Amino acid sequence: MAAQTDPISRGQLQDPSLPAPQLFRYAPDAEYAHIIRHFWIPVWDFPNGVTSHQKVLQYPSTLLVIAPDYAIAKGPELALSHKVLSGTSWAFGVLFQAAAGYRLHGARLAELVNGEIPLTEVAPGMTGLIRRVRAEMAAAPSSSAVHARCMALAVETLGPMCGPLDPEESLINAITDHVETTPSLTRVDKLAVHAGLDERALQRLTRKRLGLSPKWLIQRRRLQEAGVRLAAGGCTVSQVAANLGYADQAHFTRDFAQVIGMTPGEYLRMNNP
């Protein structure tokens, strides 16, 4: 596994007034990159009475999470994902590529949008993976060597599900990659043209393979990017709205506030007092 760490993932909203966990993020080896997007491992140790409210605009894919007291497979949340951290603990997560969702869960994928299921229901071998990851992480949760062993265990368990992509899986990976890497993309019809599909076929594909709509994919990428730009500062809300292709600031403010629960101006000021 590539021993790279990244403290901030796009979509992770920031509040400088709150403590944050130590966050490790690792890319998979190239042979698994078509199924696994990255591994992420938050570790925290907060004083009594201190909590950290983590807010994330999730990617359009499923994830696997193992913690000391739970182990789940989880899908994207249409709104904002919330998690309150306290005390001393850790989590080990695998964020999958778009193509992995239907491969892992089939028709049950729809249950994971705004939901979760016990990890033991996903595939054989998960019980052993949970036990072994917990044993490793309990000893030294911030150790890169421990992380490497946990990632190797995950790949060992997931290996039978990491074969080559079929044409539809390749297409859904390509579609989500195009959305995430093309800031100028703001319309579903343009995405359909890029994918070589008509709009209805694109809708059917993303519903089947992701449980999501093409419109949601585009809006989520724009809001993630908005969060990054506003947190960095050095810009106005109107500039961010224009750079992200919104017709006007009011439309941007409405979208941002509806999903995130505060206006872009409030988020900008919170991160740039």
Side-chain angles (χ1 to χ4, degrees), residues 21 91 123 126 204 247 256 266:
M126 290 298 177
R204 288 193 297 270
F256 192 94
E266 290 169 333

Side-chain angles (χ1 to χ4, degrees), residues 193-212:
V193 169
H194 177 81
L197 302 170
D198 62 45
E199 288 188 53
R200 295 192 68 178
L202 177 63
Q203 289 272 1
R204 288 193 297 270
L205 176 66
T206 61
R207 284 293 182 191
K208 173 185 175 182
R209 291 288 180 172
L210 303 172
L212 302 165

Side-chain angles (χ1 to χ4, degrees), residues 166-179:
D166 65 31
E168 200 170 82
E169 291 173 327
S170 295
L171 180 57
I172 200 65
N173 268 2
I175 287 170
T176 55
D177 182 67
H178 181 67
V179 171

Side-chain angles (χ1 to χ4, degrees), residues 12-273:
Q12 181 183 351
L13 301 182
Q14 302 175 63
D15 183 344
S17 69
L18 296 177
Q22 185 179 23
L23 181 61
F24 303 86
R25 190 162 66 127
Y26 301 87
D29 288 341
E31 63 185 300
Y32 302 109
H34 61 296
I35 292 294
I36 297 172
R37 185 183 183 115
H38 63 246
F39 299 91
W40 52 273
I41 305 170
V43 180
W44 63 95
D45 183 7
F46 300 145
N48 288 339
V50 173
T51 60
S52 178
H53 193 180
Q54 299 294 298
K55 301 178 181 180
V56 180
L57 288 165
Q58 290 183 307
Y59 287 94
S61 50
T62 58
L63 57 153
L64 168 163
V65 188
I66 299 172
D69 54 346
Y70 66 91
I72 58 172
K74 181 175 174 58
E77 293 194 27
L78 298 181
L80 190 64
S81 175
H82 298 262
K83 183 69 175 178
V84 177
L85 307 181
S86 62
T88 300
S89 197
W90 54 265
F92 174 82
V94 182
L95 179 65
F96 292 102
Q97 297 285 13
Y102 194 81
R103 179 178 288 199
L104 290 171
H105 305 290
R108 198 177 184 185
L109 178 61
E111 296 178 31
L112 294 182
V113 176
N114 288 331
E116 61 189 48
I117 59 174
L119 187 55
T120 51
E121 296 181 13
V122 173
M126 290 298 177
T127 300
L129 175 64
I130 295 166
R131 175 179 51 78
R132 295 168 73 185
V133 165
R134 284 174 175 166
E136 289 282 358
M137 291 292 293
S142 295
S143 164
S144 59
V146 167
H147 299 169
R149 289 196 292 272
C150 289
M151 291 186 287
L153 289 169
V155 166
E156 177 185 326
T157 303
L158 295 167
M161 295 168 276
C162 291
L165 301 179
D166 65 31
E168 200 170 82
E169 291 173 327
S170 295
L171 180 57
I172 200 65
N173 268 2
I175 287 170
T176 55
D177 182 67
H178 181 67
V179 171
E180 290 182 21
T181 59
T182 311
S184 61
L185 178 65
T186 61
R187 291 170 44 184
V188 172
D189 60 341
K190 298 295 185 182
L191 178 58
V193 169
H194 177 81
L197 302 170
D198 62 45
E199 288 188 53
R200 295 192 68 178
L202 177 63
Q203 289 272 1
R204 288 193 297 270
L205 176 66
T206 61
R207 284 293 182 191
K208 173 185 175 182
R209 291 288 180 172
L210 303 172
L212 302 165
S213 71
K215 181 179 179 180
W216 186 92
L217 298 179
I218 293 171
Q219 185 198 53
R220 179 51 49 100
R221 188 267 304 160
R222 295 169 90 185
L223 291 178
Q224 287 179 335
E225 185 63 26
V228 171
R229 296 187 186 201
L230 293 168
C235 60
T236 65
V237 172
S238 61
Q239 287 171 336
V240 173
N243 290 338
L244 294 178
Y246 280 90
D248 54 57
Q249 183 177 329
H251 184 190
F252 169 52
T253 297
R254 185 170 59 252
D255 277 3
F256 192 94
Q258 184 177 38
V259 174
I260 293 170
M262 67 177 69
T263 67
E266 290 169 333
Y267 188 70
L268 175 65
R269 290 189 293 274
M270 182 177 72
N271 283 277
N272 300 275

